[in-house]
């Protein structure tokens, strides 16, 4: 009996919020990118623009799309622990706090129970705040507070130190589940990722780079084809301008939703 074997290349768990196929379908619909020799624009090249766009949006809004573990160090300030329970500012929105450990250089001094770590998570928005609060739980809050101070100060007499750099090491979960991704941010990622392919497609709109019009003449009959491409304008410049306008109008509004101002006392 005859047997036919197919070998395919595939990826899983790439960490991309949208796939290459979705980028073609949602943002590049109706556009064909093909070189003069007939070769098509590869999925690997398209994936490069997606990865770059996603990283750019993550850096701009100071967040992570994919649910993952975040590891961060925070400076210890003495006044935060003698007068009030501390509130730790994090780099990314917190879904769930995992651990808080006090480290003097590489020496572990205190480990807070996970039950004492609290974060505010908005289930409607699917996003947490950028902070972790330390609130003791147990039969006596006052007793627990004294235990915190004893744990911090007992090792090297930290009553004398107002600040210890990189003392706290915290770990927490950030990002979104796959089925809860923010569609408004994904829309911005798709538009940003489209700029590179649209520029290339505009140059190759007639099959060869740098050609804006073609004409054919045979025995007195002639036919010509012109595009919107020019020395300073891409063939799909109108769509690029449209995406740029949408991004400009959207990013400032989304900055208020997904990021927060950072305060510093001098």
């Amino acid at each position: 009996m005859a047997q036919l074997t197919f070998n395919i290349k595939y990826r899983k768990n790439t960490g991309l919020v949208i796939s290459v196929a979705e980028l073609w379908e949602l943002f590049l619909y109706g556009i064909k990118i093909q070189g003069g020799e007939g070769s098509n624009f590869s999925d690997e090249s398209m994936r490069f623009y997606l990865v770059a766009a996603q990283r750019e949006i993550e850096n701009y809004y100071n967040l992570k799309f994919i649910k993952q573990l975040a590891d961060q160090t925070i400076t210890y300030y003495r006044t935060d622990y003698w007068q009030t329970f501390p509130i730790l500012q994090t780099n990314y929105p917190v879904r769930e706090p995992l651990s808080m450990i006090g480290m003097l250089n590489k020496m572990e001094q205190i480990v807070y129970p996970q039950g004492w770590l609290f974060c505010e998570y908005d289930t409607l928005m699917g996003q947490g705040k950028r902070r972790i609060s330390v609130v003791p739980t147990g039969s006596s809050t006052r007793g627990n507070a004294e235990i915190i101070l004893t744990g911090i100060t007992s090792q090297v007499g930290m009553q004398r130190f107002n600040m210890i750099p990189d003392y706290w090491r915290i770990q927490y979960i950030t990002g979104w589940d796959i089925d809860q991704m923010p569609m408004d941010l994904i829309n911005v990622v798709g538009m940003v990722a489209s700029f590179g392919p649209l520029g290339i497609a505009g140059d190759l709109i007639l099959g060869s780079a740098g050609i804006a019009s073609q004409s054919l003449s045979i025995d007195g009959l002639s036919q010509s084809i012109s595009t919107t491409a020019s020395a300073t304008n891409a063939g799909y410049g109108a769509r690029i301008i449209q995406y740029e306008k949408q991004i400009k109008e959207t990013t400032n509004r989304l900055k208020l939703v997904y990021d927060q101002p950072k305060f510093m006392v001098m």
Side-chain angles (χ1 to χ4, degrees):
M1 183 177 179
Q3 183 178 359
L4 187 61
T5 303
F6 293 96
N7 294 322
I8 62 173
K9 293 182 179 180
Y10 68 94
R11 292 172 178 260
K12 63 179 181 179
N13 300 329
T14 59
L16 293 179
V17 294
I18 59 176
S19 65
V20 172
E22 290 172 329
L23 182 64
W24 281 109
E25 183 70 22
L26 298 175
F27 301 95
L28 300 173
Y29 183 77
I31 294 177
K32 183 178 181 181
I33 307 179
Q34 192 174 56
E37 71 283 0
S39 60
N40 293 320
F41 198 69
S42 67
D43 288 347
E44 290 296 327
S45 299
M46 191 66 72
R47 190 174 289 109
F48 166 80
Y49 289 106
L50 274 173
V51 173
Q54 181 171 322
R55 181 63 61 85
E56 181 178 351
I57 299 303
E58 286 180 336
N59 292 338
Y60 183 76
Y61 291 105
N62 300 308
L63 51 79
K64 297 294 183 181
F65 281 104
I66 304 301
K67 188 176 179 181
Q68 59 191 270
L69 174 68
D71 196 333
Q72 180 181 342
T73 57
I74 298 178
T75 300
Y76 161 78
Y77 294 99
R78 181 166 62 96
T79 55
D80 292 342
Y81 299 87
W82 286 98
Q83 303 297 329
T84 60
F85 293 128
I87 299 177
L88 307 178
Q89 302 296 325
T90 61
N91 294 331
Y92 306 114
V94 181
R95 285 182 60 102
E96 179 184 359
L98 298 179
S99 66
M100 177 179 174
I101 303 175
M103 304 281 291
L104 189 63
N105 200 349
K106 296 183 179 180
M107 181 178 66
E108 181 178 302
Q109 290 194 304
I110 182 172
V111 178
Y112 277 75
Q114 186 179 6
W116 290 15
L117 308 180
F118 174 79
C119 70
E120 183 180 353
Y121 185 77
D122 190 338
T123 56
L124 183 61
M125 290 291 297
Q127 180 179 350
K129 302 297 183 180
R130 297 173 187 264
R131 64 176 182 265
I132 296 177
S133 304
V134 182
V135 181
T137 59
S139 58
S140 174
T141 302
R142 180 179 178 181
N144 287 334
E146 293 173 354
I147 293 174
I148 294 176
L149 296 177
T150 302
I152 295 176
T153 59
S154 61
Q155 302 295 329
V156 292
M158 289 184 183
Q159 296 94 332
R160 297 178 301 163
F161 298 101
N162 292 325
M163 183 267 290
I164 302 176
D166 300 324
Y167 181 77
W168 297 117
R169 180 175 179 180
I170 60 174
Q171 291 183 332
Y172 54 93
I173 301 296
T174 187
W176 288 274
D177 293 321
I178 296 297
D179 57 347
Q180 295 179 342
M181 289 289 177
M183 300 306 295
D184 44 8
L185 288 180
I186 294 178
N187 185 41
V188 177
V189 172
M191 289 188 289
V192 173
S194 300
F195 288 156
L198 284 173
I200 296 174
D203 290 338
L204 301 176
I205 196 170
L206 291 179
S208 299
I211 298 178
S213 62
Q214 288 182 347
S215 62
L216 176 65
S217 178
I218 301 177
D219 295 334
L221 299 177
S222 63
Q223 182 182 13
S224 62
I225 301 175
S226 300
T227 69
T228 58
S230 65
T232 58
N233 186 59
Y236 295 101
R239 187 175 296 196
I240 293 176
I241 294 174
Q242 176 189 356
Y243 284 166
E244 287 179 341
K245 182 179 179 181
Q246 292 182 15
I247 291 174
K248 184 177 181 180
E249 294 175 351
T250 302
T251 50
N252 291 333
R253 294 196 301 265
L254 296 182
K255 191 77 171 176
L256 300 176
V257 177
Y258 294 103
D259 202 357
Q260 65 184 34
K262 299 173 179 60
F263 298 96
M264 179 178 296
V265 179
M266 302 301 292

